[in-house]
Amino acid sequence: MDKILIAGGKRLQGEIVISGAKNAALPIIAASLLTGEEVRLLNVPRLNDISTMCRLMERLGAKIISDGERLSIKNKEVASFEASYDVVKTMRASVLVLGPLIARFGEARISLPGGCAIGARPINLHLMALEKMGAEIRVEHGYVVARAGRLKGARIYLDFPTVTGTENLIMAATIADGTTLIENAACEPEVVDLANLLTGMGARIRGAGSDLIVIEGVDSLKGTEYRIMPDRIEAGTYIVASAITGGDLFLRGCPARYLDAVIIKLREAGVDIAEDGGGLRVRRPKKLKSIDIKTMTYPGFPTDMQAQMMALMTVSSGISIITETIFEKRFSHVAELRRLGADIKIEGNSAMVSGVEALSGANVMASDLRASASLVLAGLRAEGETVISRVYHLDRGYERMAEKLTGVGAKIDRVRGSQ
Ligand code: UD1
């Protein structure tokens, strides 16, 4: 398994180009199942989660041509209706094929996602809503088996504004018979990106980005070409990289308008952030102040930035309370940050971070995608060498992270194949 070695203490300076958004690309690739025509995608990030999604699509019968950041997908015929256990267990977002499969082919067999590093993460809301639209759903041998004739539009209230749940439903509703209303829908920008793609394919969707989405079903969808939005979480991670190293980074293509909560909080902490033409310039804070954070659904502070902000707060000048409200077990980075010298206490779903003068390099282990990113950030700041193992988590969601950071002055090496 690969490891990452970081010689900390280097000030980052220069430009990083932000890649396409993983969490927009995944549902968008799944949405291509809704038509037999070609869907061409641009700005697709080259990540392991995207390769996993493409492998799943090929098993379902998709013909995929990939050329750098371009992807062409054609789902003329379907060879299988199954997302098997081995795929779903490596990537929970595989459940995104459920909505399109049941809507277009009337059949789907999806392995139930088990617990994962950040909590239980059930899909009960996805299933409840599809049942309301007329699907018959059974759970057998660890699989959700769904069958339906043409789905029927319905009025659906989500108990929690689940992101992939909202996406599954929007996709299913595009070619259902009649109108579907999704109340308490997720408002995340990636939901809007998916809705924009679907509109380009001929779907009729209103309200994406708000908590009430209305979809009028059409008979069929057609092919299109679509450019995936930039990744707000990748951008947020590099904003913190600049702040934590006292650096000066320009993040080209950074989607500032989707990062309001993160930018406001970082400015409160003293970080100098300026919008500048095609991106954001992030400069060292004179003094890094402690701030409190509570994760929320969009437009609140994203849970996917919680671990990175915690890394920053470990070297702030006071005490910061970080509260996680979306996932119940999302503090696996805490024990590893402590190994680097951080002072963090956990009580329930809150972490109390007392800023320390300095972090010191150590051996640490990555446990999930964003936890891994927080260890890289802390390692960039720490004195001496930090060795991060299990870096495959990073490859799932950050395109060429080590290269991008090396390009702006970090001393970061990837060691292949060692334990
Ligand atoms: C998506 C993102 C992930 C992000 C998360 C929250 C993708 C591919 N992944 O994950 O990066 O961290 O949103 O912003 O877009 N829940 C239920 N029942 C359900 C569905 C969800 O109880 O049927 C609960 C979950 O357990 C969790 C909360 O709702 O506590 C949020 O989950 P959800 O919004 O569904 O996250 P994902 O869509 O899995």
Side-chain angles (χ1 to χ4, degrees), residues 22-24 26-27 49 92-93 95-96 118-127 160-165 167 186 188 190 232-233 296-298 302-304 325-328 330 369-370:
K22 168 179 89 74
N23 285 354
L26 291 170
D49 270 11
R92 194 181 175 281
V95 300
L96 284 163
I118 61 175
R121 301 182 85 175
I123 56 165
N124 56 313
L125 300 172
H126 306 223
L127 303 183
F160 185 91
T162 156
V163 178
T164 48
E167 292 165 344
E188 268 67 3
E190 292 76 13
R232 64 191 168 107
I233 305 299
M296 301 236 219
T297 54
Y298 191 84
T303 173
D304 284 352
T325 72
I326 309 293
F327 293 113
E328 71 269 29
R330 205 167 201 181
L369 172 55
R370 307 304 169 184

Side-chain angles (χ1 to χ4, degrees), residues 188-190 192-193 196 229-232 254-263 298-300 302:
E188 268 67 3
E190 292 76 13
V192 179
D193 215 36
N196 290 342
M229 66 179 278
D231 196 311
R232 64 191 168 107
C254 178
R257 65 185 182 286
Y258 306 133
L259 272 165
D260 270 352
V262 173
I263 291 174
Y298 191 84

Side-chain angles (χ1 to χ4, degrees), residues 239-399:
I239 295 178
V240 174
S242 188
I244 203 169
T245 63
D248 183 351
L249 287 185
F250 181 69
L251 305 176
R252 185 163 298 282
C254 178
R257 65 185 182 286
Y258 306 133
L259 272 165
D260 270 352
V262 173
I263 291 174
I264 288 167
K265 279 292 175 184
L266 282 162
R267 282 189 178 140
E268 204 181 309
V271 183
D272 178 358
I273 304 178
E275 277 194 63
D276 180 358
L280 274 192
R281 183 160 180 203
V282 187
R283 275 176 290 188
R284 70 155 80 210
K286 286 193 185 64
K287 180 182 170 201
L288 188 62
K289 288 176 259 175
S290 58
I291 47 167
D292 294 340
I293 293 154
K294 191 175 198 174
T295 62
M296 301 236 219
T297 54
Y298 191 84
F301 191 91
T303 173
D304 284 352
M305 278 297 300
Q306 180 256 107
Q308 300 90 314
M309 282 298 269
M310 191 181 295
L312 183 63
M313 286 299 104
T314 63
V315 290
S316 73
S317 59
I319 293 178
S320 159
I321 307 288
I322 298 183
T323 305
E324 172 59 55
T325 72
I326 309 293
F327 293 113
E328 71 269 29
K329 279 199 211 153
R330 205 167 201 181
F331 281 144
S332 63
H333 41 286
V334 169
E336 303 301 301
L337 288 171
R338 281 188 193 132
R339 293 179 58 73
L340 297 171
D343 180 353
I344 309 172
K345 292 184 187 63
I346 297 184
E347 194 151 327
N349 64 344
S350 289
M352 187 173 90
V353 186
S354 306
V356 293
E357 282 293 315
L359 299 174
S360 61
N363 287 318
V364 290
M365 200 180 283
S367 54
D368 72 59
L369 172 55
R370 307 304 169 184
S372 317
S374 80
L375 298 179
V376 171
L377 294 169
L380 289 171
R381 167 70 182 236
E383 290 162 6
E385 189 177 74
T386 296
V387 181
I388 307 177
S389 49
R390 300 203 176 158
V391 295
Y392 54 85
H393 290 292
L394 280 175
D395 300 333
R396 290 188 43 206
Y398 287 91
E399 187 173 63

Side-chain angles (χ1 to χ4, degrees), residues 88-109:
V88 180
K89 81 166 194 285
T90 54
M91 190 185 64
R92 194 181 175 281
S94 320
V95 300
L96 284 163
V97 299
L98 172 62
L101 279 177
I102 185 86
R104 178 156 164 231
F105 304 102
E107 200 173 334
R109 195 166 179 272

